[in-house]
Amino acid sequence: MEIDLGANAFGIDFHPSKNLVAAGLIDGHLHLYRYDADSSPVRELKVRAHKDSCRAVRFIDGGQRIITASADRSILATDVETGALVAHLENAHEDAVNTLINVTETTIASGDDKGCVKVWDTRQRSCSHEFNAHEDYISDMTFASDSMKLVATSGDGTLSVCNLRSNKVQSQSEFSEDELLSVVIMKNGRKVICGTQNGTLLLYSWGFFKDCSDRFVDLAPNSVDTLLKLDEDRVITGCDNGILSLVGILPNRIIQPIGAHEFPIEDLALSHDNKFLGSTGHDSMLKLWDLEGILESSNGNSGNASGAAGDSDSENDGMDLDDDLPKSSKGSKRKTKSKSTPLNSTASFFADL
């Protein structure tokens, strides 16, 4: 299925229990579509959420509301049923908000173009944590719920691990030669996978973040703009050549191509029942792929491990972990867009409307 959005979408997310998919557009609009395998998608909602580009979208409160983040530095909550604006964090950051993820049922995290990460309590409507580990935009984040640690990647070429219990930056990697654009946690929490601007996947062992333990280069030279964890052994990559690929991790291999857009991929998401894969690109199209059929066709296609500097790196490498192995929750990711002039003040609460 394909949906012509009329403008490029920077972020998409699926409803946690219904056949609904949301998209945030470059013109600031939020679109909501109802989809079904046997019929064409129907647009349920279209609202002008932001005056500048809408860079990230996430369902919260069991799917009752949609949170959006924007280059105008604001974070908004929109009612799914009515389209009404129900909460407004006008000056959430001092610079454009670039990425947004769910952390817990009552907290979200946001990252901006200056490298600042904030965690927000949606009940108290206030900022509970702030981390300034990076010197450039936050490209992606994921959360290790068991250890309460937030993993972020940045355009400055580093990965950081922020401990929400101690409110400290616990670890940070050495500078990579290229921008880190995307991140997922895999192998039951033992590996952190980062996509880079030059197309190399960097594999870090949990607890040992100074330098990567493995590299996979078969996607190069196409930048890996987005990663979506499918299971503990497979990840879906979206690259700037428009290609979506199913990639195995340890052994590292490209299992098969999934599909394509005419232009670079912006975001990927899975439906609540894992039947559909959603993808957006710079072609203004939202595509819904039959993931069940794609995975059935890949059964038995083990591929050959290739392109890695160290395929012998095992997920059970006997390392001493600094905490229990984490479970991750994945969020949206953004590359740098046009930045906005920062305001002098930062709001500390959501304003009821």
Side-chain angles (χ1 to χ4, degrees), residues 73-201:
R73 301 174 296 278
S74 71
I75 299 174
L76 304 181
T78 302
D79 186 271
V80 169
E81 294 295 329
T82 66
L85 188 61
V86 295
H88 185 198
L89 186 60
E90 185 175 2
N91 301 318
H93 286 255
E94 293 184 357
D95 212 320
V97 187
N98 207 41
T99 187
L100 183 71
I101 66 168
N102 295 330
V103 176
T104 68
E105 291 184 356
T106 58
T107 54
I108 60 173
S110 56
D112 69 21
D113 274 358
K114 280 190 173 180
C116 176
V117 172
K118 294 185 178 183
V119 179
W120 304 92
D121 187 323
T122 58
R123 296 167 302 178
Q124 302 296 322
R125 303 185 177 190
S126 62
C127 179
S128 59
H129 302 75
E130 181 174 337
F131 304 99
N132 292 280
H134 296 282
E135 300 175 359
D136 206 337
Y137 70 99
I138 303 299
S139 57
D140 197 8
M141 294 184 291
T142 189
F143 182 62
S145 57
D146 284 2
S147 57
M148 292 296 290
K149 291 171 184 175
L150 190 66
V151 180
T153 52
S154 171
D156 64 12
T158 68
L159 171 149
S160 67
V161 180
C162 302
N163 191 320
L164 300 193
R165 292 193 176 114
S166 64
N167 198 24
K168 294 180 179 179
V169 178
Q170 181 169 311
S171 302
Q172 189 162 13
S173 70
E174 300 290 343
F175 285 95
S176 172
E177 296 177 357
D178 292 283
E179 298 178 11
L180 303 187
L181 303 178
S182 46
V183 62
V184 293
I185 299 173
M186 298 182 65
K187 294 295 182 179
N188 298 305
R190 295 185 181 275
K191 295 294 177 181
V192 177
I193 317 300
C194 296
T196 68
Q197 190 177 38
N198 70 2
T200 299
L201 293 182

Side-chain angles (χ1 to χ4, degrees), residues 34-52:
R34 185 174 299 277
Y35 62 91
D36 187 87
D38 300 322
S39 59
S40 299
V42 177
R43 191 171 69 195
E44 298 281 325
L45 186 67
K46 178 183 178 181
V47 295
R48 180 67 183 269
H50 299 275
K51 61 183 179 182
D52 290 329

